Amino acid sequence: MNSTTTARALGLGHPSHPLLGRRVIDHAHDGRIGVFRAFAPDVNAPRLGPVLRVPDTPPVAWLSPEGGGVEWTTVPDAIEALK
């Protein structure tokens, strides 16, 4: 799925994605299941100060476990809607 071809800007460098807010399976992480929370540029290094511009990097999918816990990122092409 090439998710950037139909994306529209949501602000702060976050494009839209048809799976936002839905349960997905992450094939890049052994079929882990999570909720797709954000589609955002990847930030390679932590930044302590304010972000003055959106990083020019490929987007990643931010997923969170359904019952709470630590979020993780994955390649957008590795996720699909959970059936």
Side-chain angles (χ1 to χ4, degrees), residues 4-5 9 12 16 18 20-22 25 29 33 35 37-38 41 49 53 55 63 65 69-70 73 75 81-83:
T4 57
T5 56
L12 298 175
S16 66
L20 280 172
R22 296 187 54 196
I25 185 165
H29 290 94
I33 295 171
V35 177
R37 295 291 183 201
R53 67 179 181 81
L63 307 176
V70 178
T73 60
V75 180
L82 191 64
K83 297 175 174 125

Side-chain angles (χ1 to χ4, degrees), residues 1-4 15-40 59-64 72-83:
M1 164 192 249
N2 186 348
S3 39
T4 57
S16 66
H17 191 284
L19 297 177
L20 280 172
R22 296 187 54 196
R23 294 174 66 217
V24 296
I25 185 165
D26 179 3
H27 296 290
H29 290 94
D30 299 321
R32 192 170 177 192
I33 295 171
V35 177
F36 189 5
R37 295 291 183 201
F39 187 46
V60 294
W62 284 82
L63 307 176
S64 65
W72 75 97
T73 60
T74 192
V75 180
D77 290 339
I79 63 170
E80 70 174 315
L82 191 64
K83 297 175 174 125

